Amino acid sequence: MAKSGRTKQREADLEYNVAKQVEKMISEVHEQALLSCEAIHRERRILLKQEIGRMVLFFTDQPSLLAPNIQMVFSALAFAQYEVIWYFQHVGIASSKSKAARVVPVDMDPNDPTIGFLLDGMDHLCRLVRKYIAAIRAYALSYLSSCAGRIRFLLGTPGMVALDPDATLKILFQQIVQHLDNIPKPQGENISAITCDLSDFRKDWLSILMIVTSARSSINIRHLEKATVSTGKEGLLSEGNAAYNWSRCVDELEIQLSKHGSLRKLYFHHQHLTAVFRNTMFGPEGRPQHCCAWLGVASSFQECASPIVPEEVTKIGRDAVLYVESLIESIMGGLEGLINILDSEGGFGALEMQLLPEQAAFCLNNSSRVSMPSVKSPKGAISFPLPGHESYPENNNSIKMLEAAMQRLTNLCSVLNDMEPICVLNHVFVLREYMRDCILGNFRRRLLTVLKTDNDLQRPSVLECLIRRHMSIVHLAEQHISMDLTQGIREVLLSETFSGPVSSLHLFDKPTEQHTGSATEVVCNWYIENIIKDISGAGILFTPVHQCFKSTRPVGGYFAESVTDLHELQAFVRIFGGYGVDRLDRLMKEHTAALLNCIDTSLRSNREVLEAVAGSMHSGDRIEREACLKQAVDLETMIGFCIEAGQALAFDQLLAEASRSVLEEGAPLICSLLAGLVKHIPEEVPEKKEIRRMRKVANSVGLAGDHDSEWVRSILEEVGGANDGSWSLLSYMFATFMTSNIWNTTGFNIDTGGFNNNIHCLARCISAVIAGSEHVRLEREHQQRQLLSNGCESLDPDIRVSADASIKSAMQLFVKFAAGIVLDSWNETNRSHLVAKLIFLDQLCDISPYLPRSSLEQHVPYAILRSIYNQYYSNSPSMPLALLTASPRHSPAVALAHASPITRQPRGDLTPQYSANDSGYFKGSSSHSQERLYDGEIGSLRSIELKHQTVRRSGPLGYSSTRKVKHTEGSTSGSTGPSPLPRFAVSRSGPISYK
């Protein structure tokens, strides 16, 4: 018994060991299968990718062959469906490092690009089947009609007679033939209108197969096949099975397509779907045009829901919508990425920097010559490589990257444009609209992003180039989209420039609430804060010679001249248009209005003092005048405000000139119309509303006569300024500025044509404020007279002349008393302020259109001014001559020879106005002057200058050769500094004694 027990134990142990070995072998085989299955399935996916791709191309090119091969199409769909589902069943399983894990993970590649190809191929095949569904049904009906005769023939063959089937089989075979005979014949009629139900035919055929495959049947399926194959090419069994399959293409074609082409089971892996899509679509081997297939999967998700469970329908529908929205977000993000890649400095920006203008010109000339058959291609070596060969070899990859990005962008736009709307439950997704919003939204974000750099504001010219580059990319995409994206870009620019109601565009009155675009607001506020107000303390100076603002240090990332010259302001006008110009003009007017309000406040607070100063000036009581001048308050502050107002005037005039140049380029007829209209506008006070509007429009583009005074006049009219009697003392208050301590640190710079502390902007402010306030005051007086006379008083046709005369009188009054204060304040110990003040007054006479050029000569002989300018320009290393001008009205030496200097008529053109390009004797550097003179003129001027230097040995500021040598040895610089005239400072005789 013991031996028997031990034997049983050994047998049990042996069986256990064998079972463990078998389990281990099965586990190893299973693990090995899992490890190798991914490679096997990857090979299958690659094979399916290639074959389905060829199949799509073939059937697209030969659609007539689709119907005969529909069964092969369904087989390919089923195979691809299985591979896709298998992939997503395993791709989400994370690798586990625990040895105790029961599930052995499959190492799947989430970046496999073949999935997109399979989905896209299945989508194309399904669309082809749906497109040619009528042809497939017609072919199936024709096949079934011909199949009826072949089955009838096979049923009557000797083999079938020898089998002697029982009554049940005979009845079933007769019903099969009867079903096939009753199929309608498609003879040119509409196939879609033919309706037939072949379910009974398939049921009877399945009954036959069940009988012949049963062990109880006297006729075996092999007997049935052998009895009929010998008589023909196809046996009865093959014919019946083919008829069964083709019958499903008649009344169950949609069901078959849904079965083999549907991917509704992927709903349970929709999170992995989104992750794989993001990893593969825009990858190195991904294809953006596959996105339609990925999105189309969502339409079959709702088929997974059970209709008897309402919560399940809602949940699956919500998940499908979220899936589509997530994919659309990724697609649009990829679209933005493609656009931004092309728009980056490494994209088209790199190409712009690599291609030289000479290469582009040579390429254009060469292509134009080659296109003409009569002209041979140019021969001979050139000094630079052809376009396309100028890059280094390592940059070829960058070029290929750009080409790939362009190809993907155009393909994606084409696919999204042609894609049908996606319907998920009650949600409809139209990809074209998403694409339009994506492109326009990306343009808006890019615009707002490039407005500012890391340092500060982007230069307008650079910003314009960036916008043009981005628009070229949008135009590239627009060629593949049936939408007008250019109009959308214009709407974006308009909304970022002006966002108010359209009705307010036609109103010249100030709207109650000012609306403006965010982009325009950013740029305009930057100009106001950093150029006009100079909050960063960069030392902003207006240079009349160069017609721009300069700074002693960078404002942000650029110097001020890099963003304020005429070229940059023209770019600003082209980008933001008239609305941007109006916005910047409005901001400067608001700022200047606050400064004018400060002037009004100062006039009111100093009214009694200014009245006493005016009385002492007219009576000639110097002691009383000096005593009254010391009682004036806040003069230094007012000078700062007036200088800032002058800066705003200068900047607005530059903006107007830029607007005019852009208008002349884009609409020359409108510009010439405005210029001609301004010349014929009637001069009357008060002006009609229509005439005033026209004058404002002309002034906004620099076509009005006196920009500064018209601009100040419009401000005063809007804010209701200059309505107090104290404004009649304006000339006296400006004259008191000559007593300020600011002149002690003021120096003239011949390179800029201005002063080192922007005091020359004060001259613009004085001229504009006096003229503008006089206009407003006279118009208000005229309106009051009309009210008192109840409108019976007729308009005075010469009242405009009276306004000009009043302005000229006020300006001359200022020049007279300012010159008197300047000369009376001179003494032997301090002459440094005298030079700056005299040049300031001379510049004021040149700037103001209401003063003759010789107005200052009545109070200060031009010999003094000539001597001052002579030393400035002769001490400049770039100026070989003291004065480079041949006009007697420009030269003080020649002007002194005239007993009666030529006076300029108000608003006339007898005396030319100076600008940045004029070679006046105090404006412009030598380089600007020499460019406009011929050698003969220079020689004659040099002889005239030498003649004057040899003839005049005495008189005002006449010095001997000994003193000149001393001055040369001790002088450091004659172009800048508070006192550039050392000889004049040590003179004991003085220029001229005034009593």
Side-chain angles (χ1 to χ4, degrees):
M1 293 293 294
K3 183 178 181 180
S4 173
R6 286 195 298 270
T7 303
K8 291 182 179 180
Q9 183 64 33
R10 284 197 298 268
E11 292 177 353
D13 293 340
L14 182 61
E15 290 178 358
Y16 177 77
N17 292 333
V18 171
K20 291 291 292 182
Q21 290 180 359
V22 171
E23 182 181 358
K24 182 179 180 181
M25 291 176 61
I26 293 175
S27 177
E28 292 176 354
V29 171
H30 180 258
E31 185 175 354
Q32 185 63 30
L34 289 175
L35 293 175
S36 61
C37 67
E38 199 279 330
I40 297 173
H41 283 279
R42 186 190 302 116
E43 292 179 0
R44 291 181 181 178
R45 292 194 298 270
I46 294 174
L47 175 65
L48 281 174
K49 164 193 167 183
Q50 297 172 352
E51 295 301 326
I52 291 180
R54 294 191 186 103
M55 192 179 296
V56 169
L57 293 176
F58 178 76
F59 288 132
T60 303
D61 187 55
Q62 300 291 335
S64 59
L65 299 178
L66 177 63
N69 298 281
I70 189 64
Q71 303 301 332
M72 182 180 65
V73 173
F74 285 148
S75 300
L77 287 174
F79 198 3
Q81 179 190 57
Y82 169 75
E83 289 299 327
V84 170
I85 294 176
W86 186 92
Y87 175 85
F88 283 102
Q89 283 176 342
H90 295 82
V91 74
I93 302 177
S95 299
S96 176
K97 297 181 180 179
S98 176
K99 296 181 179 179
R102 295 182 179 180
V103 179
V104 179
V106 180
D107 189 12
M108 300 292 294
D109 182 13
N111 299 323
D112 190 354
T114 58
I115 298 298
F117 284 95
L118 292 183
L119 292 176
D120 186 64
M122 293 177 64
D123 182 66
H124 275 84
L125 287 178
C126 291
R127 281 190 289 172
L128 282 173
V129 173
R130 291 189 179 95
K131 182 178 181 180
Y132 300 104
I133 191 169
I136 296 172
R137 292 189 64 202
Y139 185 88
L141 290 172
S142 300
Y143 183 90
L144 292 176
S145 298
S146 62
C147 186
R150 293 194 297 271
I151 292 178
R152 186 182 294 108
F153 170 77
L154 291 175
L155 289 176
T157 56
M160 283 298 298
V161 175
L163 286 177
D164 190 19
D166 57 10
T168 303
L169 283 176
K170 288 182 179 180
I171 293 174
L172 289 174
F173 280 127
Q174 290 175 1
Q175 289 178 354
I176 289 293
V177 175
Q178 185 178 1
H179 286 313
L180 295 175
D181 289 336
N182 292 333
I183 292 177
K185 306 295 187 298
Q187 297 178 355
E189 55 185 313
N190 188 6
I191 303 299
S192 59
I194 298 178
T195 58
C196 59
D197 186 6
L198 298 178
S199 59
D200 293 337
F201 164 76
R202 290 188 292 272
K203 187 185 300 182
D204 293 340
W205 180 251
L206 289 177
S207 300
I208 293 174
L209 292 179
M210 292 175 65
I211 291 174
V212 299
T213 55
S214 175
R216 299 177 181 181
S217 175
S218 59
I219 300 178
N220 190 275
I221 188 172
R222 288 174 295 177
H223 301 159
L224 186 63
E225 185 68 14
K226 288 180 180 180
T228 55
V229 167
S230 60
T231 60
K233 296 180 179 181
E234 297 290 342
L236 181 61
L237 193 63
S238 300
E239 288 288 350
N241 288 336
Y244 178 88
N245 289 331
W246 282 108
S247 68
R248 299 190 64 186
C249 294
V250 176
D251 56 350
E252 292 185 355
L253 189 59
E254 290 289 347
I255 298 175
Q256 277 191 296
L257 191 61
S258 175
K259 177 182 178 182
H260 300 300
S262 175
L263 294 169
R264 62 175 181 268
K265 292 182 181 179
L266 291 180
Y267 161 71
F268 304 104
H269 312 283
H270 62 272
Q271 294 181 352
H272 303 318
L273 270 173
T274 305
V276 174
F277 171 80
R278 291 175 177 174
N279 290 336
T280 60
M281 194 185 83
F282 293 100
E285 299 181 10
R287 294 295 185 273
Q289 57 266 33
H290 295 166
C291 62
C292 298
W294 289 89
L295 288 169
V297 174
S299 60
S300 62
F301 285 173
Q302 51 193 348
E303 299 176 7
C304 298
S306 175
I308 62 176
V309 184
E311 295 81 5
E312 192 175 54
V313 176
T314 304
K315 180 181 182 302
I316 293 179
R318 183 176 61 253
D319 292 341
V321 170
L322 293 176
Y323 165 77
V324 173
E325 290 178 348
S326 176
L327 256 63
I328 290 178
E329 181 181 356
S330 300
I331 293 170
M332 297 310 157
L335 179 62
E336 290 185 9
L338 291 173
I339 294 176
N340 295 338
I341 285 174
L342 296 175
D343 194 29
S344 64
E345 294 302 325
F348 285 162
L351 296 181
E352 293 172 357
M353 293 184 291
Q354 291 179 5
L355 190 62
L356 298 175
E358 294 81 2
Q359 293 170 315
F362 180 82
C363 181
L364 291 176
N365 295 333
N366 191 18
S367 60
S368 62
R369 292 176 180 176
V370 172
S371 61
M372 299 175 61
S374 60
V375 180
K376 298 182 179 180
S377 60
K379 297 181 181 180
I382 54 177
S383 59
F384 48 85
L386 291 173
H389 300 277
E390 69 278 356
S391 301
Y392 292 100
E394 56 268 19
N395 291 339
N396 291 335
N397 294 331
S398 301
I399 301 299
K400 293 180 180 179
M401 182 271 293
L402 284 178
E403 293 176 350
M406 291 176 59
Q407 186 66 31
R408 290 191 178 192
L409 176 63
T410 54
N411 289 343
L412 181 60
C413 292
S414 300
V415 170
L416 296 180
N417 181 70
D418 299 335
M419 185 175 182
E420 296 294 332
I422 302 173
C423 301
V424 180
L425 295 180
N426 57 344
H427 295 267
V428 180
F429 300 93
V430 183
L431 271 298
R432 294 174 67 253
E433 298 299 327
Y434 280 93
M435 182 169 51
R436 173 185 172 87
D437 295 340
C438 169
I439 294 176
L440 298 183
N442 182 54
F443 174 74
R444 176 181 281 105
R445 288 188 295 271
R446 295 280 292 182
L447 175 64
L448 297 178
T449 302
V450 299
L451 281 178
K452 289 291 189 74
T453 60
D454 296 335
N455 297 320
D456 218 332
L457 182 74
Q458 182 66 270
R459 294 178 59 185
S461 59
V462 177
L463 179 61
E464 183 184 17
C465 293
L466 294 177
I467 292 177
R468 291 186 184 276
R469 187 174 70 190
H470 192 96
M471 290 187 67
S472 65
I473 300 172
V474 173
H475 289 159
L476 176 66
E478 190 179 26
Q479 297 176 3
H480 304 272
I481 302 175
S482 56
M483 291 185 296
D484 188 2
L485 293 178
T486 303
Q487 182 65 26
I489 294 294
R490 292 173 180 171
E491 293 174 359
V492 170
L493 286 174
L494 180 60
S495 64
E496 293 302 324
T497 304
F498 180 85
S499 59
V502 179
S503 59
S504 63
L505 297 178
H506 307 286
L507 301 177
F508 288 85
D509 300 332
K510 182 179 179 181
T512 56
E513 183 179 357
Q514 184 69 28
H515 299 273
T516 181
S518 54
T520 307
E521 187 175 6
V522 169
V523 178
C524 294
N525 288 336
W526 187 92
Y527 273 111
I528 295 297
E529 298 295 332
N530 292 275
I531 302 301
I532 305 301
K533 297 182 180 180
D534 191 16
I535 59 174
S536 61
I540 303 296
L541 295 175
F542 175 68
T543 58
V545 170
H546 305 98
Q547 286 295 293
C548 68
F549 287 84
K550 292 189 176 184
S551 57
T552 56
R553 63 178 181 83
V555 184
Y558 306 97
F559 285 93
E561 56 266 27
S562 300
V563 291
T564 59
D565 63 355
L566 190 60
H567 176 69
E568 298 295 332
L569 292 180
Q570 287 174 356
F572 170 84
V573 175
R574 284 191 293 268
I575 295 172
F576 299 104
Y579 304 140
V581 174
D582 291 343
R583 174 60 179 167
L584 185 53
D585 180 80
R586 172 58 56 186
L587 287 177
M588 286 190 293
K589 280 186 176 180
E590 292 175 357
H591 178 62
T592 308
L595 298 176
L596 294 178
N597 185 43
C598 295
I599 295 177
D600 182 72
T601 303
S602 181
L603 284 171
R604 294 172 187 268
S605 61
N606 293 307
R607 181 167 184 172
E608 295 181 359
V609 176
L610 292 177
E611 289 177 349
V613 169
S616 62
M617 287 181 177
H618 286 284
S619 63
D621 191 344
R622 179 177 178 180
I623 299 176
E624 182 182 357
R625 183 189 65 191
E626 292 180 353
C628 294
L629 288 175
K630 294 180 181 180
Q631 299 178 9
V633 295
D634 297 334
L635 287 184
E636 303 294 335
T637 305
M638 281 306 305
I639 291 177
F641 289 156
C642 291
I643 291 176
E644 197 168 331
Q647 289 181 235
L649 287 168
F651 189 86
D652 192 80
Q653 186 173 12
L654 292 178
L655 185 64
E657 292 178 0
S659 302
R660 180 180 60 190
S661 61
V662 174
L663 186 64
E664 288 176 348
E665 181 181 356
L669 293 179
I670 296 179
C671 189
S672 61
L673 177 64
L674 282 174
L677 190 62
V678 168
K679 297 179 181 179
H680 299 87
I681 288 180
E683 305 286 351
E684 58 184 18
V685 176
E687 290 181 327
K688 295 182 180 179
K689 185 181 295 185
E690 294 78 8
I691 295 177
R692 189 76 189 114
R693 289 178 179 177
M694 189 61 64
R695 196 182 295 278
K696 286 182 179 180
V697 172
N699 194 49
S700 65
V701 292
L703 293 174
D706 183 12
H707 172 272
D708 293 352
S709 63
E710 291 290 340
W711 199 64
V712 172
R713 176 186 175 187
S714 64
I715 295 175
L716 294 175
E717 289 176 348
E718 290 179 3
V719 300
N723 56 358
D724 187 75
S726 58
W727 279 79
S728 60
L729 304 172
L730 192 62
S731 301
Y732 303 100
M733 186 188 74
F734 286 149
T736 60
F737 288 173
M738 298 295 108
T739 63
S740 173
N741 294 327
I742 195 174
W743 301 101
N744 296 332
T745 58
T746 300
F748 181 67
N749 191 334
I750 62 172
D751 294 328
T752 63
F755 295 90
N756 58 346
N757 54 2
N758 257 352
I759 203 70
H760 50 280
C761 292
L762 177 63
R764 300 188 69 133
C765 177
I766 291 175
S767 175
V769 171
I770 290 178
S773 61
E774 285 296 321
H775 277 296
V776 174
R777 184 181 63 82
L778 291 175
E779 287 183 354
R780 189 172 292 111
E781 290 179 356
H782 187 273
Q783 292 175 357
Q784 291 176 357
R785 287 198 303 268
Q786 279 191 332
L787 291 176
L788 293 176
S789 61
N790 295 326
C792 298
E793 184 179 353
S794 60
L795 289 176
D796 185 1
D798 297 331
I799 195 167
R800 186 70 181 190
V801 179
S802 301
D804 291 345
S806 177
I807 296 171
K808 184 176 181 180
S809 175
M811 293 295 298
Q812 290 178 342
L813 192 66
F814 162 74
V815 172
K816 174 183 177 181
F817 291 125
I821 292 175
V822 169
L823 297 177
D824 288 341
S825 62
W826 166 80
N827 55 58
E828 293 289 341
T829 59
N830 184 14
R831 300 185 182 187
S832 60
H833 61 86
L834 179 61
V835 175
K837 291 178 182 179
L838 292 179
I839 295 177
F840 170 82
L841 292 177
D842 187 67
Q843 285 193 352
L844 176 65
C845 294
D846 177 60
I847 291 173
S848 177
Y850 299 96
L851 286 177
R853 187 65 180 85
S854 58
S855 298
L856 188 59
E857 190 178 5
Q858 300 175 9
H859 314 286
V860 179
Y862 263 127
I864 298 177
L865 294 174
R866 179 185 180 280
S867 179
I868 292 173
Y869 288 127
N870 186 11
Q871 294 187 48
Y872 267 113
Y873 286 93
S874 62
N875 290 334
S876 176
S878 60
M879 176 66 71
L881 296 180
L883 299 174
L884 296 181
T885 176
S887 173
R889 280 171 286 179
H890 291 183
S891 175
V894 182
L896 286 175
H898 296 266
S900 177
I902 300 176
T903 60
R904 178 172 47 189
Q905 297 296 329
R907 297 184 177 269
D909 296 327
L910 294 178
T911 304
Q913 300 294 310
Y914 301 116
S915 61
N917 296 326
D918 291 335
S919 57
Y921 68 92
F922 71 95
K923 300 180 71 175
S925 61
S926 60
S927 59
H928 288 268
S929 303
Q930 290 175 1
E931 292 176 357
R932 305 178 184 276
L933 294 176
Y934 296 98
D935 295 337
E937 295 177 350
I938 294 177
S940 61
L941 288 172
R942 181 174 300 174
S943 61
I944 294 174
E945 183 64 26
L946 292 175
K947 180 179 179 181
H948 282 283
Q949 290 180 1
T950 55
V951 171
R952 295 196 60 177
R953 295 296 184 183
S954 62
L957 296 183
Y959 300 94
S960 63
S961 59
T962 306
R963 290 186 177 181
K964 288 184 181 180
V965 174
K966 290 180 180 180
H967 164 67
T968 305
E969 294 175 354
S971 176
T972 58
S973 175
S975 59
T976 57
S979 181
L981 305 175
R983 291 182 299 157
F984 182 71
V986 299
S987 173
R988 296 301 180 184
S989 60
I992 285 183
S993 179
Y994 294 90
K995 300 295 183 180

